[in-house]
Amino acid sequence: DVQLQASGGGSVQAGGSLRLSCAASGFTFDDYAIGWFRQAPGKNREGVSCFSDSDGSTYYRDSVKGRFTISSDNAKRTVHLQMNNLKPEDTGVYYCAATPPDGTSWYCRDYFLGMDIWGKGTLVTVSS
């Protein structure tokens, strides 16, 4: 059974840090595009960051650049999202997702609308 499990959410004050983890079971991340998404209350889901296992490239949305870092531990089938200097606008449910490349692109950002595997979300709450 192919699954993703996100963990590490919590409540912090502005300026604090959290480390989210996304663990895969039933498959490995070999050559996959792995992404983190979030959905704030009353807003649409948005892509936050992603990692391409095929070439190690990454993507960050502008609002998190310099504060968030995505990393992969293939041996443990886990992708992490280190979130520093958190802001109230980072509040939301964070989801991880993954998909194998389809041969058209190696860039993970190109797969944001086509992620095949989704994990349950983990809630991040940042208070001011």
Side-chain angles (χ1 to χ4, degrees):
D1 193 19
V2 173
Q3 290 185 345
L4 289 173
Q5 179 65 53
S7 62
S11 296
V12 297
Q13 290 190 328
S17 297
L18 285 172
R19 188 189 194 211
L20 304 184
S21 296
C22 176
S25 61
F27 73 106
T28 64
F29 285 138
D30 292 348
D31 291 337
Y32 273 56
I34 306 107
W36 283 99
F37 300 78
R38 67 187 179 191
Q39 187 165 18
K43 294 187 177 181
N44 293 329
R45 186 172 62 197
E46 61 185 17
V48 176
S49 178
C50 66
F51 172 82
S52 298
D53 183 78
S54 57
D55 63 0
S57 60
T58 57
Y59 161 84
Y60 300 94
R61 69 181 300 110
D62 286 346
S63 62
V64 307
K65 284 181 180 177
R67 300 188 297 121
F68 290 13
T69 303
I70 191 169
S71 62
S72 173
D73 184 341
N74 269 341
K76 296 183 179 180
R77 302 182 183 181
T78 305
V79 170
H80 302 287
L81 185 67
Q82 177 67 41
M83 307 187 296
N84 297 329
N85 191 22
L86 282 161
K87 303 177 180 181
E89 52 264 42
D90 294 318
T91 293
V93 179
Y94 282 68
Y95 302 86
C96 64
T99 195
D102 61 10
T104 62
S105 173
W106 292 112
Y107 187 37
C108 58
R109 175 63 180 87
D110 293 338
Y111 293 90
F112 267 13
L113 296 181
M115 290 289 182
D116 288 339
I117 307 165
W118 288 85
K120 293 182 179 179
T122 184
L123 178 63
V124 172
T125 304
V126 185
S127 57
S128 58

